[in-house]
Amino acid sequence: MPPHPRPHPRVGPVKLVVEADGGSRGNPGPAGYGAVVKAPDGEILVETADALGVATNNVAEYQGLIAGLRSALALAGDGATVEVRMDSKLVIEQMAGRWKIKNEGLRPLALEAGTLARRLRVTWKWIPRERNRDADRLANEAMDAAAKGATWQSKSLPATTPRPTTSTTAPTNSRKTTSPREPSSGTAPTAPSGGGTSSTRQRPKSSTAEPLFDLTPDGAPPSKAPVEPATSAPSSSPPATGAKLGTGTGTGPGRGSGWRASSTTATSLLLLRHGETPFSVERRFSGIGDPELTATGLRQAEAAATRLSRAPYAVDVIVSSPLSRARATAEAVATRTGVEVLIEDGLRELDFGDWEGQTFTEIQRHWPTELKDWLADPSAAPPGGESFSQAADRVSTVKEKLLLDHKGKTVLVVSHVTPIKLLLRFALLAPPEVLYRIHLDVASLSAVDYFPDGPELVTSINDTAHLR
């Protein structure tokens, strides 16, 4: 159902609130979730809930989060500012990147929630259970309805025609099993996420044709950026001179060509690969696994931090992958510069699936056909893993978010080989195959300047001067 237009006075970009919850009667046991989307004044705009069959409490809470984020996107579209509030410390801390996801059963749900969150401008807030009553009520209503063989229906918003639902059976006692820490194993819900089994209620339409919210500072509707940057005609102006890496100055290329001077201020992304890990020493595939930095890796991070804390660098923002090796590298720079580290899930390394921790020789021996396909086609994924094409989608989204949130600033991006190569590839307007032809050392520094009138200028690739 499309969002219902409703006039709303604008006081800057509007912040929607998503409150989500989930519970299980037994852990695991019959489970359900609920979520609400609220206006800044607290008015409930959307309610959604569903029973999940047998699942753990943590699975149910993640499903509630996913449903709430989907409802916010359906209501306000990409780019909306959203504060997510949940009484699950586990979900909030994991989504904020402060806690590791140790339960592999939760990882797919966290990745799905992260993908949705990256389309919005999300902040994460833990709240005590007594302040999450609306979402808790909905989760219990869904479980109660399923126990009676019925479909959940909203009791506070006008009824609309629901999507097809599948009921599950659950006991009638309404008790949420609280699990502040992640259990060692999880039980997947019987209704798969995204399967269209939930029910949603929204406020009815008004007669006005105004949009529900004005979500961008200039009043323009938010739009999804393409994976590939747009090309444009070259300029005949002379080349610019005097540009420095990462200074964030306006000296740089013109539209699309890299030849004429620009009078506007660039947004500079400094791309720092994390320091050495045991996997990089042994040349093993290291994706979303979480090896720590070696002693050498810590020294490399410190060397990068020393360099970046001096002129001509003036780091305004530090954004890091959630993985430990990147975060430790970022924290070294943060200590030197006094800049807080922000975590961005989309900057994580490629998921190598079954190849995680394997050497190239081991993969060649056990997966010769799959390896051949992977080396020939960026859309081919390792068994159980992620393709370069899939990674390109999330990295492109992160890039656009960083450029939107930090215009004209110097942003240090601490990440991994694949995301950094993808950002360089986008800026170079290069085909996907270039990913196989770029080498990046551990703790190396690359940089791209982005100009408001369109062009992207690569100013450095694989710079390791600070390691010598």
Side-chain angles (χ1 to χ4, degrees), residues 32 63 92 144 150 186 305 361 380 388 439 444 449:
Q63 293 283 20
I92 289 296
D144 291 341
T361 301
F388 285 126
H439 173 77
S444 63
D449 283 347

Side-chain angles (χ1 to χ4, degrees), residues 146-157:
K148 300 172 185 176
T151 299
W152 172 82
Q153 297 289 332
S154 174
K155 298 174 183 175
S156 59
L157 294 185

Side-chain angles (χ1 to χ4, degrees), residues 35-38 42-48 134-135 137-138 141 152-160 201-204:
V36 295
V37 181
K38 294 182 176 180
E43 179 188 1
I44 295 177
L45 304 173
V46 180
E47 290 184 338
T48 183
D134 291 315
R137 167 181 58 82
L138 294 173
E141 284 180 6
W152 172 82
Q153 297 289 332
S154 174
K155 298 174 183 175
S156 59
L157 294 185
T160 58
R201 296 289 177 270
Q202 292 185 324
R203 290 289 177 190

Side-chain angles (χ1 to χ4, degrees), residues 24 74 101 264 282 296 330 332 363-364 373 415 443 448:
S24 62
I101 302 173
T264 55
E282 298 172 7
T296 298
I363 294 169
Q364 199 168 35
D373 292 342
S415 188
V448 183

Side-chain angles (χ1 to χ4, degrees), residues 256-268:
S257 68
W259 286 107
R260 68 177 171 83
S262 173
S263 60
T264 55
T265 301
T267 302
S268 296

